Amino acid sequence: MGHFSSMFNGLARSFSIKRTKNLKNTCDGREAVEAMAKDAKKNELILRTSGIVNEFGCQEDMLFCGIFDGHGPWGHFVAKNVRESMPSSLLCNWQETLVETSDDPDFDLGSDKKLHRFNIWKHSYLKTCAAVDQELEKHRRIDTFHSGTTALTIVRQGDIIFLANVGDSRAVLGTTCDDGNLVAVQLTIDFKPNLPQEAERIMECRGRVYSLDDEPGVHRVWLPHEESPGLAMSRAFGDYCVKDFGLISVPEVTHRHITNKDQFIVLATDGVWDVISNQEAVQIVSTSPDRAKSGKHLVKSAACAWKRKRKGIAMDDISAIVLFFHSSDQINPLSVSTFK
């Protein structure tokens, strides 16, 4: 019992060791965490409409939030499906990984406690994304062959954030530097098809990567012998027409320790970043008179910039979430806005 506590350094602080043992004796890790998820739903802790889960896993110091950008004829439905299934699936896999590491001395995810915590979340995210994508393929009511979604999600656990990115949405941190100025730090990679490692994988799988004459610089993924589907990202859920040709749903998982200098993090779809720079986004959020409306302010600014910079081009979906780290409103430190 003491070994379990020291190993996880408070990863499951809201559950007593006795409760955990009882759960393990009566059901496996997935059944246990499904019971936790049911409790969360009863208490309205899982907010399915926004992709946000406060008190994730019924733990006061944990929060889950994500932004999901669908594409294709059924993209909205694919995004909704992933948004709704990912939190509970991730929670299940996280709890199962905790149980496995406590039961199996050979299940080594790293000796350093911080690294160990990160590896548990990384392992959980990899299992979750694979499972969610597999379930999409089996879905009878949604066309996931020609439609898909990106997903950029965060789990905040105390003073650490864990990020998992599938696609070309972006996370940007607003942090204060030594001279007192607020600066932007990009935390994720935009997974575009022309990135060297992405293009290499796609071409090794016989997919093609190139841009159209009327869209110079916008590289897309194409089938070997068809001018289809023309995806502008190299990682996504769904899109099974190109899953055998280099498109993957494997997330890039990273983490960051939050300090008192870090003010907030912006999650936004590529429609925002196409017309707003990282620094501009940080300035827009920081100068918003109402934190609760800062996401809306950013989205409106992006919509105006799109009309000004890309006249005659259909506006992409624009969505943003702002998570404040030192908010006076600890109950709801998030600002969410969407423009479609």
Side-chain angles (χ1 to χ4, degrees):
M1 187 165 68
H3 174 68
F4 182 88
S5 299
S6 61
M7 176 180 291
F8 297 113
N9 191 29
L11 279 177
R13 283 179 294 184
S14 66
F15 306 103
S16 68
I17 301 302
K18 181 178 180 181
R19 174 182 169 94
T20 302
K21 281 188 173 182
N22 288 339
L23 286 171
K24 285 166 62 181
N25 289 336
T26 59
C27 59
D28 62 17
R30 180 169 296 276
E31 290 172 335
V33 83
E34 283 175 352
M36 292 157 50
K38 287 180 181 178
D39 289 340
K41 290 176 190 176
K42 287 180 182 178
N43 291 289
E44 296 183 345
L45 300 178
I46 293 182
L47 310 180
R48 289 187 175 277
T49 59
S50 60
I52 300 166
V53 184
N54 289 302
E55 297 187 17
F56 189 47
C58 301
Q59 299 194 62
E60 292 182 358
D61 70 336
M62 279 176 59
L63 174 146
F64 172 97
C65 65
I67 201 156
F68 307 85
D69 189 13
H71 51 263
W74 290 75
H76 172 74
F77 297 97
V78 179
K80 182 176 183 290
N81 182 279
V82 175
R83 184 188 70 210
E84 292 181 350
S85 62
M86 182 174 282
S88 58
S89 179
L90 179 62
L91 193 58
C92 286
N93 285 314
W94 176 69
Q95 180 69 6
E96 284 184 351
T97 304
L98 288 175
V99 172
E100 288 173 0
T101 53
S102 66
D103 285 345
D104 185 359
D106 296 325
F107 197 94
D108 184 14
L109 290 173
S111 56
D112 180 82
K113 289 183 178 179
K114 288 184 178 180
L115 179 62
H116 183 74
R117 183 183 295 192
F118 166 68
N119 284 335
I120 286 175
W121 278 111
K122 182 177 180 178
H123 183 76
S124 303
Y125 258 119
L126 290 172
K127 288 176 64 178
T128 296
C129 290
V132 169
D133 205 32
Q134 288 172 7
E135 287 301 313
L136 275 176
E137 187 179 20
K138 301 173 185 176
H139 205 294
R140 296 181 178 181
R141 297 184 179 181
I142 301 177
D143 176 12
T144 58
F145 194 74
H146 296 103
S147 300
T149 186
T150 64
L152 171 57
T153 63
I154 285 181
V155 171
R156 180 180 180 181
Q157 186 177 38
D159 58 358
I160 300 178
I161 56 171
F162 303 91
L163 305 96
N165 186 30
V166 178
D168 57 358
S169 292
R170 184 187 304 171
V172 172
L173 177 73
T175 187
T176 306
C177 56
D178 292 338
D179 61 8
N181 290 321
L182 194 64
V183 296
V185 178
Q186 185 168 328
L187 300 180
T188 56
I189 296 172
D190 302 345
F191 283 111
K192 301 290 190 180
N194 60 318
L195 288 178
Q197 72 273 19
E198 301 295 290
E200 181 180 0
R201 182 189 68 246
I202 292 166
M203 290 186 288
E204 284 180 351
C205 295
R206 298 185 296 116
R208 296 180 296 161
V209 176
Y210 64 87
S211 58
L212 299 174
D213 293 338
D214 60 348
E215 288 184 314
V218 181
H219 291 79
R220 298 180 180 275
V221 182
W222 307 90
L223 289 168
H225 306 295
E226 295 180 36
E227 303 305 309
S228 175
L231 291 180
M233 73 289 298
S234 57
R235 302 190 186 197
F237 291 96
D239 294 308
Y240 276 94
C241 63
V242 282
K243 274 287 159 68
D244 291 334
F245 302 100
L247 185 80
I248 61 174
S249 59
V250 178
E252 178 200 45
V253 184
T254 57
H255 70 298
R256 181 182 177 93
H257 179 263
I258 300 302
T259 71
N260 58 3
K261 291 185 177 182
D262 299 330
Q263 303 303 314
F264 56 82
I265 187 170
V266 178
L267 307 184
T269 58
D270 63 313
V272 172
W273 308 115
D274 284 344
V275 292
I276 298 287
S277 71
N278 293 348
Q279 191 61 37
E280 286 172 337
V282 166
Q283 291 302 320
I284 290 168
V285 170
S286 65
T287 56
S288 179
D290 185 351
R291 280 186 170 185
K293 297 181 179 179
S294 59
K296 184 177 182 179
H297 191 191
L298 175 59
V299 164
K300 282 189 173 181
S301 298
C304 290
W306 191 285
K307 294 175 182 177
R308 185 177 68 253
K309 296 178 180 181
R310 300 201 169 192
K311 293 180 180 180
I313 300 176
M315 189 181 300
D316 198 357
D317 289 349
I318 295 175
S319 302
I321 293 177
V322 182
L323 170 62
F324 291 94
F325 297 125
H326 312 294
S327 174
S328 57
D329 181 3
Q330 292 300 323
I331 297 176
N332 185 22
L334 289 150
S335 173
V336 184
S337 189
T338 301
F339 183 95
K340 293 189 178 182

